């Protein structure tokens, strides 16, 4: 019992922290205190003493489709009394976190060659899983299908449009493969568009 907290090291996952037996939200050696009682421990709260929650509020994005890259973000608040709330610097109060499940926006440029099998890995993001799907489109979110691009699963386009590839991700959502189907689409730059069922 290195930290002399009454728990043997073999059952104490914080063997050098006498105040904790388990890491908690902030890890070993750091207090999980929430000074302003807003539900965010001080170790993650950029305003640990100023943003106490007095009543619950629901926030939504309306009918706007969220297209932010996968990741963890901070939710910041601005009071409209005395300021416009139009500049990022006016949102000084940290009210919590927002986790967005999805691929990272950067680094997903891949090259496939017409007339060959296409597969690739190294897709990054937050919460990607096997069974998530990629489709190749000219523009994500719009039914602009790429002619002669078939794949492991076939996704039917709107009336009069060609079929395009719908590929289920594998390797914990980090890899895609058109399996044994040759890509015959014309050369060009297309978009990899992600969706989770």
């Amino acid at each position: 019992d290195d930290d002399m907290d009454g728990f043997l090291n073999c059952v104490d996952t914080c063997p050098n922290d006498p105040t904790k037996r388990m890491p908690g939200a902030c890890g070993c050696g750091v207090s999980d205190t929430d000074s302003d009682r807003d539900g965010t421990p001080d170790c993650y709260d950029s305003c640990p003493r100023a943003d106490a929650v007095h009543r619950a509020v629901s926030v939504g994005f309306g009918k706007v489709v969220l297209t932010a890259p996968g990741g963890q973000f901070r939710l910041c608040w601005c009071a409209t009394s005395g300021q416009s709330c139009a500049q990022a610097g006016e949102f000084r109060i940290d009210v919590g976190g927002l986790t967005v499940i999805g691929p990272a926006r950067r680094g997903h440029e891949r090259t496939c060659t017409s007339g060959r099998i296409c597969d690739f890995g190294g897709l990054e993001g937050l919460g990607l899983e096997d069974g998530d799907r990629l489709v190749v489109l000219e523009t994500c979110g719009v039914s602009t299908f790429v002619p002669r691009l078939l794949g492991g699963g076939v996704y039917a386009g709107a009336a009069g449009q060609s079929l395009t590839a719908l590929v289920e991700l594998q390797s914990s959502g980090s890899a895609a493969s058109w399996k044994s189907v040759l890509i015959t689409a014309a050369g060009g730059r297309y978009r990899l568009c992600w969706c989770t069922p």
Side-chain angles (χ1 to χ4, degrees):
D1 183 13
D2 290 345
D3 58 9
M4 301 186 335
D5 62 357
F7 296 97
L8 296 175
N9 287 355
C10 62
V11 295
D12 189 344
T13 55
C14 290
N16 298 313
D17 184 346
T19 64
K20 289 185 176 181
R21 183 174 154 213
M22 298 178 65
C26 298
C28 298
V30 179
S31 170
D32 292 329
T33 301
D34 179 11
S35 299
D36 57 11
R37 296 173 293 158
D38 66 354
T40 302
D42 294 352
C43 65
Y44 293 112
D45 196 336
S46 62
C47 299
R49 302 201 192 319
D51 56 352
V53 173
H54 297 289
R55 59 190 157 174
V57 175
S58 294
V59 177
F61 295 102
K63 294 183 180 186
V64 176
V65 175
L66 185 62
T67 59
Q72 295 181 324
F73 303 91
R74 300 307 304 162
L75 292 174
C76 304
W77 177 79
C78 172
T80 56
S81 58
Q83 48 193 348
S84 68
C85 293
Q87 304 293 322
E90 295 175 323
F91 290 81
R92 295 183 186 103
I93 307 299
D94 185 308
V95 294
L98 173 67
T99 299
V100 176
I101 304 295
R105 180 113 354 160
R106 59 179 168 47
H108 290 145
E109 300 296 324
R110 301 294 187 267
T111 300
C112 293
T113 303
S114 190
R116 296 194 177 162
I117 295 170
C118 181
D119 56 9
F120 50 81
L123 297 174
E124 296 178 354
L126 184 65
L128 302 181
E129 297 180 348
D130 289 356
D132 287 354
R133 297 173 180 166
L134 278 184
V135 66
V136 179
L137 299 172
E138 289 181 12
T139 305
C140 293
V142 180
S143 296
T144 50
F145 295 105
V146 179
R148 299 185 325 272
L149 181 60
L150 301 175
V154 177
Y155 182 81
Q161 289 195 315
S162 302
L163 301 177
T164 191
L166 173 70
V167 178
E168 287 194 359
L169 297 181
Q170 49 201 315
S171 300
S172 299
S174 68
S177 175
W178 275 259
K179 300 182 181 167
S180 60
V181 178
L182 298 179
I183 303 297
T184 60
R189 285 185 67 92
Y190 303 108
R191 309 303 308 158
L192 292 173
C193 305
W194 174 88
C195 180
T196 188

